[in-house]
Amino acid sequence: DEKPSENIIEEVNNDAPARFIGEVFKTYILAEQDGKLLLIDKHACHERILFEKFKAQQTSFQQMLLIPVTVNLSPDEYNAVLENKELLYKAGYDIEDFGDRCVKVNACPTELVDEDIVSITMELASYLSMNGKTVMPEKLDWIYHSMACRAAIKAGNTTTDYELRKFVAELLSRDDIRYCPHGRPVMVEVSKRDLEKQFKRIV
């Protein structure tokens, strides 16, 4: 019997097996499935996976900061953050009033503990101050989107083959991961016929 390729991705919940090929430009994952070449944007793919994960959780996991971070805000931003403390807590942020238009961030979502907390807080405050009448589910979706974008592996980052394979397996086993939260496509398919036409093998 012919030994199966070690590049076959067994986790794919699909009748057609997928074969992991590699990565180009530290940005795009290459795989083959059912006679098609798949080009996957690893950041967009990971971002959508994280977004769906955050939405599925009842409450995001928090990580206490070793040193709480204080952030100065405009009056509107300051009031918006304090008015949405419970919403932010549900998303994984523990933020309290520090007085004089300043808030203190005691904890953040686990996935963002190594990110720029000041920048994140200012981004959240700006959004909340400009979208006060937006209903809570939409606010949460925006916050989860922001979290996913910051936590996802970036284009240009070094990624292990194991991580890349997991992204492909997750993508191909689910129908809801085809676009990132920004609306950009996660994957482009190129058929064998399209390639043959490019190389003038067929007309």
Side-chain angles (χ1 to χ4, degrees):
D1 293 341
E2 184 178 349
K3 183 179 179 181
S5 169
E6 63 179 13
N7 288 331
I8 294 296
I9 300 172
E10 298 178 351
E11 298 95 331
V12 175
N13 190 17
N14 192 302
D15 290 337
R19 184 172 69 88
F20 173 76
I21 299 172
E23 181 185 18
V24 293
F25 312 127
K26 290 188 175 182
T27 301
Y28 303 104
I29 309 169
L30 303 182
E32 177 187 357
Q33 184 186 42
D34 198 22
K36 296 177 181 178
L37 174 64
L38 311 180
L39 297 95
I40 301 163
D41 183 322
K42 71 177 180 182
H43 171 74
C45 181
H46 192 205
E47 183 181 11
R48 186 55 186 262
I49 290 171
L50 289 174
F51 176 71
E52 295 299 333
K53 171 189 169 185
F54 296 148
K55 285 186 66 174
Q57 294 173 177
Q58 292 298 315
T59 303
S60 296
F61 294 103
Q62 285 187 348
Q63 174 70 50
M64 296 298 295
L65 301 177
L66 291 176
I67 301 175
V69 174
T70 56
V71 185
N72 291 304
L73 302 169
S74 72
D76 288 343
E77 293 170 343
Y78 172 73
N79 291 328
V81 168
L82 297 184
E83 289 169 3
N84 287 276
K85 279 177 60 177
E86 291 187 15
L87 174 74
L88 292 167
Y89 192 85
K90 182 177 177 66
Y93 298 93
D94 181 7
I95 302 178
E96 64 177 299
D97 186 3
F98 201 60
D100 195 24
R101 293 187 289 108
C102 184
V103 296
K104 182 170 71 169
V105 184
N106 299 309
C108 70
T110 304
E111 293 83 1
L112 301 182
V113 70
D114 294 324
E115 300 294 326
D116 183 346
I117 302 302
V118 172
S119 172
I120 291 171
T121 305
M122 293 180 71
E123 181 181 58
L124 291 170
S126 176
Y127 169 80
L128 292 171
S129 70
M130 292 189 292
N131 294 273
K133 295 181 179 180
T134 303
V135 295
M136 188 177 78
E138 290 183 18
K139 287 181 180 177
L140 268 176
D141 274 2
W142 186 91
I143 293 172
Y144 291 149
H145 173 195
S146 173
M147 289 165 54
C149 187
R150 287 179 176 269
I153 290 173
K154 306 297 188 292
N157 286 7
T158 298
T159 315
T160 66
D161 281 359
Y162 174 78
E163 290 174 303
L164 296 174
R165 290 168 191 263
K166 295 298 288 185
F167 291 159
V168 176
E170 183 86 6
L171 170 64
L172 297 183
S173 64
R174 296 173 56 173
D175 293 328
D176 59 342
I177 304 177
R178 290 298 178 267
Y179 296 90
C180 78
H182 297 281
R184 292 193 299 107
V186 166
M187 177 175 68
V188 173
E189 298 181 354
V190 181
S191 70
K192 181 181 178 182
R193 179 177 176 81
D194 287 338
L195 283 175
E196 289 179 334
K197 288 174 69 175
Q198 288 290 327
F199 285 103
K200 309 296 184 184
R201 287 179 172 271
I202 60 174
V203 179

